[in-house]
Amino acid sequence: MFGRLFISVAVFLCAVIIPADLVARELENYSIEASKSGGQIGFKIEKIDYRDDLTRVYGFLIGKPHTSGRIDEMIFVASTGEKLDATDIDGIDMKRWFQWEDDNAIYVEIDFPPMKIQSEFTIMLSGPKGPSKWTIIQSKK
């Protein structure tokens, strides 16, 4: 009797807890549209994780080796024109200088507020060396 009750409670808890994770969608078919992108800092997108609590963009910042860089602000511009500020970035610290190493790439995870899946959007950033922007499109696969 106790065993069945335990299993029932465990199944119920899994049904309540797991769906939040199932809502997350990681999409990898994105690329940078070169004709609509430019600036001092480049970007190579790896994937986007759309979750209930945030949207995380994974990729590599690209810069000139053996120089310094700084990003003071990063904004996600949705295809609707809505603008969302980055809430966190792992790999560098916002508003602090960082060094580009030999390979000129720094892996980053950029967090934005939660949003619906986007097929095209722009990420704009600003810093003391000027603005950069990347228009990102979803490949049709």
Side-chain angles (χ1 to χ4, degrees):
M1 176 71 178
F2 180 75
R4 287 185 183 170
L5 177 62
F6 178 77
I7 291 172
S8 296
V9 169
V11 168
F12 173 76
L13 288 175
C14 287
V16 171
I17 295 170
I18 290 176
D21 291 334
L22 293 177
V23 174
R25 296 209 36 208
E26 283 189 4
L27 300 177
E28 297 180 344
N29 298 322
Y30 286 93
S31 61
I32 303 294
E33 190 170 333
S35 65
K36 295 182 180 178
S37 302
Q40 294 292 317
I41 298 176
F43 190 65
K44 180 180 184 281
I45 188 164
E46 293 290 307
K47 64 183 176 181
I48 302 175
D49 187 4
Y50 294 96
R51 298 196 237 171
D52 287 339
D53 59 336
L54 60 84
T55 299
R56 181 168 287 158
V57 178
Y58 299 84
F60 292 88
L61 295 174
I62 310 295
K64 185 176 178 185
H66 308 290
T67 63
S68 59
R70 191 174 90 194
I71 297 173
D72 293 336
E73 180 180 44
M74 192 172 286
I75 300 170
F76 186 107
V77 183
S79 56
T80 62
E82 180 182 15
K83 295 181 179 180
L84 303 165
D85 290 327
T87 57
D88 189 29
I89 184 167
D90 291 333
I92 63 162
D93 293 324
M94 297 276 274
K95 299 182 180 180
R96 294 191 60 167
W97 290 97
F98 57 87
Q99 183 74 29
W100 297 106
E101 301 297 335
D102 291 337
D103 63 358
N104 80 328
I106 299 172
Y107 182 75
V108 293
E109 298 175 4
I110 310 162
D111 292 347
F112 295 96
M115 66 186 78
K116 293 181 180 179
I117 293 173
Q118 304 285 309
S119 60
E120 182 174 338
F121 58 91
T122 299
I123 296 179
M124 299 185 315
L125 60 89
S126 62
K129 293 189 176 185
S132 294
K133 82 173 194 175
W134 317 304
T135 298
I136 300 168
I137 56 173
Q138 187 177 26
S139 303
K140 308 237 189 297
K141 280 192 174 186

